[in-house]
Amino acid sequence: MNPGGKDMKTNTILTGDRPTGKLHIGHYLGSLKNRVKLQNEGKYKMFIMIADMQAFTDNARNPEKVRNSLIQVALDYLSVGIDPAKTNILVQSQIPALNELTMYYLDLVSVSRLERNPTVKSEIKQKSFGQSIPAGFLTYPVSQTADITAFKADTVPVGDDQEPMMEQAREIVRTFNNTYNVDTLVEPEGYFPPKGQGRLPGIDGNAKMSKSLGNCIYLSDPADVVTKKVMSMYTDPDHIHVEDPGKIEGNTVFTYLDAFGTDKAKIAELKEQYQAGGLGDVKVKRYLNDVLQEILEPIRNRRAEYEKDIPGVYDILKKGSDNANIVANQTLSEVRKAIGVNYFD
C-alpha cells in the first residue's frame, strides 16, 4: 500500500493513542514499530497525538488516570524511537482549534449515523454503558475527524477495526466540502498494519491483549517481569508431557514467535518438534523470552534515560503542541471562511 494515498496530496500522517495506561507490545507490533519506520523514511510530516480528551470520554470521573498516563505514553513513544526532531508529539487538549472544528462537524452528522458506526457499537457493548452512554463517547468519531482534518492528514495509521471510523471521517469531509462548495478539508485514508500484525492475543490466550484484562506485556516491564509473564503464557492445554504432540494453532507462544522472531528457520524447526512430540513448553518459552528481551532491552534503556528528566519530556510535549497549534489554527481559519463566520477578518 502507498502510505501517502493515491495522489500523495499532502504526505501528512496523524496517529496517536488514548492515555489510559502504559503501552504494551501489542501497541508496538500493531502501530509503534511502523510509526518509527514511517518517521525515519523522511517522506511524511508526522503528527502523533496523545488523545487525552478522547480518553476523558469514558474516564471523566477519573482524571488522575488520564493525567498520570499521559507522561507514561510520552515515555513509551520516546523509548521506542519516536524522535521529536522528526515528529510532532502533541497533546489533544492543548489544541483549542480541535474543539471548534468538532462543533462545526457535529452539525453535519446525525445521531443515528453515529449509533450505526460498528466500531462505536462494539466499544459501547464492551464497556457495558447500557443506556448511560456519555455523549462525548458517542460523538468521538466526530472529534477524531477534527483531529485528522485539523492537520490535513491524508494518511492515518490505524488497526483493522478502525476502518468504520475512517469511513465516517471521509463522509464528514465530503459533506463539509459539498455543503460549503469548497475543497478545504482533505479526505483521509487508513494505513493498516501488515496482515496478521493488527492485533496480538493476550498472554492468557484471550483474543485481545488489553490493559483492562491485565494480560499484557508492557514496553516498560522490567526484564524479570517479562520473564515471569512469558513463563506463564497460555500454550496447548493438552500438551501435558514433553513427549505429547502439541498444537501450535491458538498457542500464544508460537503466535508471539511468529510476530516477533526473526529466525524463521529456527521457529519452523521448533514448530515441527512441538507438533511431533518431544519438545516441552518451557524450552519454547525460554526461546521466546530471549527474543522479547532482545527487543525490549534497548527500549527500557532509552526510557530510563528520559525518566531522568521528566520536565524535559513535558517540554517536548509543549513544543510539539505549539507547532501543532500553528497548523490547526490555519485550518480553522479556512473552515471559518468556508462557513462564513470569519466576521471580523
Side-chain angles (χ1 to χ4, degrees):
M1 177 179 176
N2 177 357
K6 290 182 180 179
D7 54 7
M8 303 293 283
K9 288 180 186 175
T10 65
N11 296 338
T12 299
I13 285 176
L14 174 80
T15 186
D17 299 278
R18 288 161 38 105
T20 55
K22 295 179 178 181
L23 302 182
H24 52 66
I25 61 173
H27 294 116
Y28 179 77
L29 181 70
S31 60
L32 297 175
K33 182 180 179 181
N34 195 47
R35 292 178 197 175
V36 174
K37 174 180 175 290
L38 293 171
Q39 164 196 271
N40 292 339
E41 286 178 2
K43 299 177 183 177
Y44 314 104
K45 189 171 184 180
M46 297 278 296
F47 293 93
I48 298 183
M49 172 183 289
I50 303 181
D52 58 334
M53 292 179 68
Q54 193 177 121
F56 280 126
T57 61
D58 57 333
N59 289 281
R61 290 171 175 79
N62 188 11
E64 294 83 4
K65 176 182 177 181
V66 178
R67 292 199 300 266
N68 294 338
S69 296
L70 184 137
I71 193 65
Q72 298 300 328
V73 171
L75 287 167
D76 285 328
Y77 284 169
L78 296 168
S79 68
V80 300
I82 299 297
D83 184 350
K86 300 176 181 178
T87 296
N88 288 286
I89 307 175
L90 59 132
V91 180
Q92 186 182 29
S93 63
Q94 305 306 300
I95 317 298
L98 301 179
N99 301 313
E100 189 171 340
L101 289 172
T102 298
M103 290 302 299
Y104 294 138
Y105 299 165
L106 279 169
D107 296 326
L108 301 176
V109 63
S110 68
V111 172
S112 62
R113 175 64 182 91
L114 291 169
E115 289 176 335
R116 290 197 307 271
N117 185 303
T119 304
V120 175
K121 286 173 66 176
S122 174
E123 293 186 5
I124 286 174
K125 183 178 180 181
Q126 178 187 340
K127 294 178 185 297
S128 302
F129 284 134
Q131 295 301 309
S132 301
I133 306 167
F137 191 88
L138 181 64
T139 61
Y140 88 78
V142 184
S143 170
Q144 195 169 75
T145 302
D147 300 337
I148 295 167
T149 58
F151 305 105
K152 299 196 173 180
D154 55 8
T155 306
V156 184
V158 289
D160 294 336
D161 60 338
Q162 292 295 304
E163 174 54 31
M165 305 292 282
M166 295 306 304
E167 181 53 38
Q168 183 134 45
R170 288 189 288 269
E171 286 179 15
I172 293 171
V173 166
R174 289 193 291 265
T175 300
F176 182 93
N177 287 343
N178 291 335
T179 299
Y180 301 110
N181 195 28
V182 293
D183 60 359
T184 302
L185 302 183
V186 174
E187 197 167 321
E189 293 293 334
Y191 177 56
F192 301 98
K195 190 174 181 180
Q197 293 189 13
R199 176 161 291 181
L200 197 68
I203 61 174
D204 58 356
N206 190 290
K208 182 181 180 181
M209 178 176 282
S210 167
K211 290 173 281 190
S212 61
L213 295 175
N215 60 359
C216 307
I217 295 175
Y218 293 98
L219 296 172
S220 55
D221 278 343
D224 61 331
V225 173
V226 172
T227 299
K228 183 177 180 180
K229 289 182 177 181
V230 170
M231 299 310 291
S232 72
M233 284 178 69
Y234 178 86
T235 56
D236 174 6
D238 297 322
H239 186 246
I240 300 171
H241 305 103
V242 172
E243 62 271 17
D244 294 338
K247 300 185 188 72
I248 60 173
E249 296 80 10
N251 187 322
T252 56
V253 175
F254 283 103
T255 302
Y256 280 40
L257 283 175
D258 284 337
F260 294 103
T262 56
D263 190 341
K264 300 305 180 184
K266 172 71 171 178
I267 294 169
E269 179 184 338
L270 289 172
K271 286 181 178 179
E272 185 177 344
Q273 292 177 10
Y274 192 83
Q275 290 174 305
L279 178 61
D281 289 330
V282 170
K283 184 173 181 180
V284 185
K285 288 178 177 179
R286 284 175 178 164
Y287 179 66
L288 173 60
N289 183 58
D290 290 342
V291 169
L292 292 180
Q293 297 290 4
E294 185 176 354
I295 293 169
L296 293 173
E297 183 177 7
I299 294 174
R300 283 193 296 261
N301 291 342
R302 280 192 294 266
R303 185 187 180 95
E305 289 301 310
Y306 280 109
E307 284 178 330
K308 295 176 182 177
D309 184 16
I310 296 300
V313 175
Y314 276 109
D315 188 51
I316 289 171
L317 297 179
K318 184 178 186 305
K319 288 179 180 177
S321 298
D322 287 347
N323 291 337
N325 267 313
I326 294 171
V327 178
N329 286 337
Q330 175 59 38
T331 299
L332 177 58
S333 177
E334 295 171 15
V335 165
R336 286 175 172 173
K337 182 178 179 182
I339 299 173
V341 294
N342 53 335
Y343 304 119
F344 306 124
D345 288 352

